[in-house]
Amino acid sequence: MAFWRQPLDTQEIHITKGLVTIIEDRCKGCGYCIEFCPTHMLAFSDRFNKKGYHPPQTSRPDDCVNCHYCEIICPEFAIYSVEAP
Amino acid sequence: MSANTQPGIDHQGAHPLDDLIRTDRIPHIWCPGCGTGTAFSSCLTAIKATGIPYNQFTMVSGIGCSGRAAGYIKIDSFHTTHGRAIPFASGIKMARPDLNVIVFSGDGDLFAIGGNHFIHAARRNMDMTVICVNNLIYGMTGGQVAATTPSKAKTTTTPFGNPDAPFNLPLMAYAAGASYVARWTILHVRDLTNAINEALLKKGFSFIEVLAPCPVNYGRRNKQKSLDTLRLYREKTIIRNGADPARADIDFGRGVILGTFIDRDRDTCDELYDATCRRNED
């Protein structure tokens, strides 16, 4: 028996789509973006960057909602998102 | 090497903050997982958000890991002697009252060797913004006990645990007379950026304490990886704006209070100086 309700404007709300860009050679592999991404769309890659760290990669690029949290928590200026066209 | 053609990977580097950082010095020296980078990036975002031209800002920093920030920002900045960031900043502010002066430094620099300067700048209500990256330890010199190290924490100089009580920085800033006092962690980046933005626009002495992990020198000896520290920030912090700074001591067992503690208006040093010493010049 389901009693949940939907907000009245749920059809009108437009969820933004984002495009994550990773500047791989700046990454030091701290994993903050991967851990705290609200949609968990990032994961460590198997590649190495110039410094020998594993930079993140987008495992499900379509899930990005352009919240910019990875961009603002990254200590290395290595990841940012822009609104998808 | 990272040679590949996968979409979403940028080898040129066009980060939105690239106009404010010296990109030739990036990657910076801060360790993987260090919170200073996030605090610095948050400070740059706040500078950008004010809309004030960049040549109206100057950044002063002391010695320590976070002291390197002055070298990474692409505006006029000073990397000063140990503990003396606030005196340099006071001098800049007295000579050029039109500049927005930001002091970006660490807890050891601002509160151990530079503690006296902090108290007196707050007492005079110098119109500047002080951002203190509090990583609870002397990180750069190898993890010695600092004035802000919590009780019982292990460091290289206190292998059995720190016997002393740490400083309560918001209480000290409030008691000394600061106009704006806030504390956030690097996990609460949006609140931190808003707080820095408010502090930059605030007239008077603004102090923001940023709790940041030091995974190499604090975390390693206290069995905390950098992600563990961030989880601790998520689980053991209480956001309470307007809380009494006397209750803001750092004890993760009981919960650490975050938020804007003080936001009040007092006459600044410039105004009082002009009113007292430059009365006859008009």
Side-chain angles (χ1 to χ4, degrees), chain B residues 169-243:
Chain B
L169 304 184
L171 178 62
M172 182 156 99
Y174 163 65
S179 293
Y180 183 94
V181 181
R183 172 199 275 154
W184 293 101
T185 75
I186 65 146
L187 185 68
H188 304 79
V189 207
R190 283 186 216 278
D191 301 291
L192 172 63
T193 309
N194 290 341
I196 298 176
N197 193 16
E198 270 178 44
L200 288 172
L201 299 171
K202 176 94 188 163
K203 192 163 63 71
F205 191 88
S206 314
F207 170 64
I208 296 158
E209 178 187 2
V210 188
L211 293 180
C214 176
V216 172
N217 272 325
Y218 184 83
R220 187 158 48 105
R221 294 190 178 84
N222 291 286
K223 301 202 167 43
Q224 269 181 26
K225 292 208 163 31
S226 54
L227 282 172
D228 300 335
T229 315
L230 261 65
R231 283 188 202 109
L232 195 68
Y233 290 167
R234 183 165 62 186
E235 284 152 20
K236 291 285 183 185
T237 55
I238 308 152
I239 298 175
R240 197 173 291 155
N241 288 310

Side-chain angles (χ1 to χ4, degrees), chain B residues 6 49 74-75 86 90 109 117 131 143 181 188-189 223 237:
Chain B
Q6 192 180 333
K74 207 172 165 185
I75 58 176
I86 288 178
S90 301
D109 183 76
H117 302 303
I131 300 165
V181 181
H188 304 79
V189 207
K223 301 202 167 43
T237 55

